[in-house]
Amino acid sequence: MRIQVAMTTLIATALTAVTIGAQTSSQATIPVYLDQTKSIEERVEDALSRMTTQEKVALLHAQSKFNSPGVKRLGIPEVWTDDGPHGVRPEVLWDEWDQAGWTNDSCVAFPALTCLAASWNPEMAYLYGKSVGEEARYRNKQVLLGPGVNIYRTPLNGRNFEYMGEDPYLASIMVVPYIHGLQSNGVAACVKHYALNNQEVNRHTTNVNVDDRTLYELYLPAFKAAVQQGGAWTIMGAYNLYQDQHNCHNDVMLNKILRDEWGFDGAVVSDWGGTHDTREAITNGLDMEFGSWTDGLANGRSNAYDNYYLAQPYLDLIASGEVGTEELDQKARRVLRLIMRTSMNPNRPWGSMLSPEHYAAAREIGDQGIVLLKNDGHCLPISGEPKKILVVGENAVKMMTVGGGSSSLKVQREVSPLDGIRAAAPEGCQVAYARGYVGDVGGEYNGVVTGQDLSESRSAAELIAEAVAQAKDADYVIFIGGLNKASGQDCEDSDRESLDLPYGQDAVIEALAQANPRLVVVNVSGNAVAMPWVAQVPSVVQAWFLGSEAGNSIADVLFGKVNPSGKLPMTFPVKLTDVAAHSFGPETYPGVPRNDGSNIVDETYTEGLYIGYKWNDKQHITPLFPFGHGLSYTDFAYGKPTADKKELHEGETITFTVPVTNTGAVAGDEIVQLYITDEKSSLDRPYKELKGFKKVHLEPGETQQVAITIEPDALAFFDADQHAWVVEPGDFKAHVAASADDVKSTLSFKYK
C-alpha cells in the first residue's frame, strides 16, 4: 500500500500547513494541487500560488548528487533521478559518487542501446522502456537519465554504445516506443544529450559549428520525435557549446527550437556539471541544475548546494532587482508539472525489480540485436556433435556491466559468454578456454566491484601459443574479443585512440585462423572496429554489450536456438580515413583550440549531411560492412515491388509493397528497408536516405507482402533560408533494400 500511504501523508502534511478561508485544517477541503480530479495544469498553478520565492528557487537545483528538494511545507515531494539508460544504477552516498553500500539495489542490465537499435524493432524498444521503467519505479525514481539519441558521427566516440546509430530516421523510430514504455510507469524519460554531443574528448569545451540544414536534418530529428511523438517529460542538455553558448543554457537550442518550435512543456535538466552561468541559466531555458559542485560541504557553506548557479546567486539577483520572477515561475511550473506526472500521480503502477520477465526481456532484446556480419561456408550455427569447442579471449569472461561511465551498473547477475556457451553446448562436448590476450584487468567503478581476478603473468606470445595449441584439435574455435568499458575504449569522458582492436587481438585472430578453419570471431563493442583479418575468418558476429543475459544471447545465436536478425545501425568502415569526420583535418575532429586564452575548442562539421552510408554513396567508398547489413541462417528472396500510385500529392500517402519469401529451411526475420532518392533538387541532397523499414517473421517457404507507407514529409529537406521544411515537386525513386549497399529493386514516382 505504499502509493496510498504516500499520498495520504502528502495530503495530511498539506492540510496541516494550509488553511482555506476560515476553516481549520481539520475542516479544510483538499487543496487543488492535491485534488486528483483536477487537471495537472490546475494543480500546478494552485501549488505555484502557494509557494514562496525561496521555495521556487529550491525546486531548481540539487540538494544531493542525484536529487532535488520538493516543498516540504506543502507536502510536495523531492525529485529523485537515476542514471540509465541500460538499467537503474545503484544508490550512491548523499554527497559522494561512491556507492551507499545497500544490499538491495542490484538491477537487471539490459543490452546497450546500440543493440536495441540493431534490432530495428520498435516492439523491442517499448519492451525495453517498460522493463527498465518498472525497475526504476520500484526504486521510486522519478527520472531515468536516458535514453540517448546522439548521432554516430565518428567510431571513436567513447559513448556511441549508449546511442542509436548514425541514421536520424532509425533513431527517431526507436526512441519513441522506449519513452512510451518507460513513462507508462510514471517515470520520466530524460532524453540526452541535447544536442551535438558526438564525442567525449573535449566534451565540456567543444564549440560545434554546424550549418542549420545539417542540424535540423541530421542531429535534431530524434530529439524532435522524442518530444512531439514520444511526449518526453524531461530533456538533458549537453556539455558542449553551440554558437558559443553551453547547451545546458543555450537560447537557440532550448528556447527557440525545443520550446518555441517543438512545443516542449517538460523540464530541461542539466548534465552533471553542465551549468556555467547564472544569468544564461535564468534566461536560456534551464530548469533543473545538477552536479555544478561535486565536492559537497568542502566548499565552506552549511549547504554547498546553495552555491549552485540556480540557487543563492539567483535569489541574490532577484533581491537586487536585476532580474524578475517571470522566468522563475516558468521554471517552477515545469518542475511541478514533472512532479505531478510522476510522484504525485497516485495511478503510478507498482513497478518490479529483478523479475524473470525482465531477464527474459533482456535476453530477447539481445537475441534480436546481435548481427551476423559474415558466415562463409555456413560455419554457423554450430551443428553436429562437436566434441571440443575452444573459446578464446578476455571478453569471454570479463564482466561488461561495470564501468564505462554513468551507465555502469551493479547487477544481480551477469552471464558471461563462456558460461553461456558451456550451458548451451551439447552433452559430452568439452568447452575449453584460453585467455588469448590481456586487456583491462580492472573491475571497479564508483565503488561497484566485479570481484574478478583477471591478472595475468604470461606474455602475449605465451598466451597466443596456448590458444593455438588448443585450437588445432577443436571442432570450433570461438574468439570473443573487441572493446571493453575501460577509459579510451567504449567509455564516457574519453574517445578511442584508433579504429583498431586493442591489446594485440589482431595477432591472436590471425594465429587462430591459421590453426583452425572453423573460426568464429565475436566482437563485443558499441563501436565499429577495423578487421584486417576478415578475409581469413569464415564467421563474424557483432554482439554489442548485452547486459545481464549476454552469454545466453550469444549462445542462442551461435547454436542456432535463435536465428540472427539484427542489422547494423551504423557503417563499419575499412579504415578511419573512410569516415567523413576524419577526412578534413583536425578542424572536423577533434577540433582546434582557440588562440584567445580561453579553453574553447572549435570544431566544424564540414561534412554536413554526409556521414555513414550517405558519405559512402557520395565518395563511392565500399565499407567493411554497410549500414543496415545483417545476415541470417536462412535466405530471403525479394520479388517485384509495386506502389499503390504513381503520383503523390500533399495530404496523401504512398505505399510500396514487396513480396519477400523465406527460401531456406529455418524460420527467420528479415528487415526490409526503404530508401528515397530525390532525382532533381534545388539543394544538394544525399543520394539516398532511409525513410521506412519493417521487420517481418517468415516460416520456411512463406511469402509475405511487406508494405511500407510514407507521407510527403519523407521527401522533405530543410531550407535554411526559409527556416522551413520543403517538399519540391519532381521525380523521386524508392529503393527497396536489405541494406544500404544491397538494393533489391527501385521504383519511380512523382510528387506533385
Side-chain angles (χ1 to χ4, degrees), residues 556-690:
D556 285 345
V557 168
L558 294 180
F559 286 94
K561 180 179 180 180
V562 167
N563 190 349
S565 62
K567 298 208 174 189
L568 290 178
M570 77 284 285
T571 302
F572 273 42
V574 175
K575 56 187 183 299
L576 195 59
T577 52
D578 288 345
V579 177
H582 299 273
S583 300
F584 298 96
E587 66 272 13
T588 58
Y589 179 89
V592 178
R594 291 182 181 175
N595 294 319
D596 59 1
S598 72
N599 63 352
I600 302 301
V601 175
D602 282 306
E603 184 174 48
T604 301
Y605 287 13
T606 305
E607 74 282 359
L609 297 169
Y610 293 96
I611 68 168
Y613 69 89
K614 299 167 188 174
W615 175 252
N616 289 351
D617 283 345
K618 182 180 179 68
Q619 300 298 119
H620 305 290
I621 295 171
T622 300
L624 179 65
F625 296 108
F627 172 82
H629 170 75
L631 303 177
S632 171
Y633 293 150
T634 190
D635 295 305
F636 300 100
Y638 284 63
K640 184 178 180 181
T642 58
D644 65 349
K645 61 187 66 172
K646 294 183 178 180
E647 293 183 356
L648 177 63
H649 301 88
E650 184 178 356
E652 298 180 345
T653 63
I654 184 170
T655 298
F656 303 96
T657 303
V658 60
V660 181
T661 303
N662 181 347
T663 60
V666 295
D669 293 355
E670 173 66 333
I671 299 165
V672 179
Q673 300 159 42
L674 182 73
Y675 297 83
I676 298 294
T677 294
D678 186 347
E679 293 203 72
K680 187 177 181 180
S681 172
S682 62
L683 297 181
D684 182 47
R685 303 190 72 173
Y687 171 68
K688 65 177 183 291
E689 299 171 83
L690 181 72

Side-chain angles (χ1 to χ4, degrees), residues 148-151 164 167-176 179 191 194 216-230 235 262:
V149 292
N150 291 103
I151 292 298
M164 296 189 183
D167 188 83
Y169 179 81
L170 176 61
S172 297
I173 295 299
M174 296 299 289
V175 71
V176 169
I179 294 169
V191 185
Y194 180 72
Y216 275 80
E217 288 194 26
L218 188 55
Y219 295 104
L220 293 185
F223 290 104
K224 182 180 180 180
V227 169
Q228 295 190 334
Q229 299 171 45
I235 295 286
W262 298 350

Side-chain angles (χ1 to χ4, degrees), residues 36-54:
Q36 299 301 317
T37 66
K38 303 294 185 182
S39 71
I40 284 181
E41 297 309 311
E42 290 175 307
R43 295 168 63 204
V44 165
E45 291 304 317
D46 183 66
L48 187 69
S49 71
R50 301 172 189 271
M51 292 169 59
T52 67
T53 297
Q54 289 76 14

Side-chain angles (χ1 to χ4, degrees), residues 91-129:
E91 303 299 330
V92 300
L93 296 170
W94 182 262
D95 202 42
E96 299 176 23
W97 292 108
D98 277 349
Q99 304 308 296
W102 291 19
T103 58
N104 62 347
D105 59 345
S106 298
C107 72
V108 173
F110 295 87
L113 291 186
T114 44
C115 177
L116 175 63
S119 76
W120 294 59
N121 189 341
E123 292 180 4
M124 289 297 99
Y126 183 85
L127 175 65
Y128 195 126

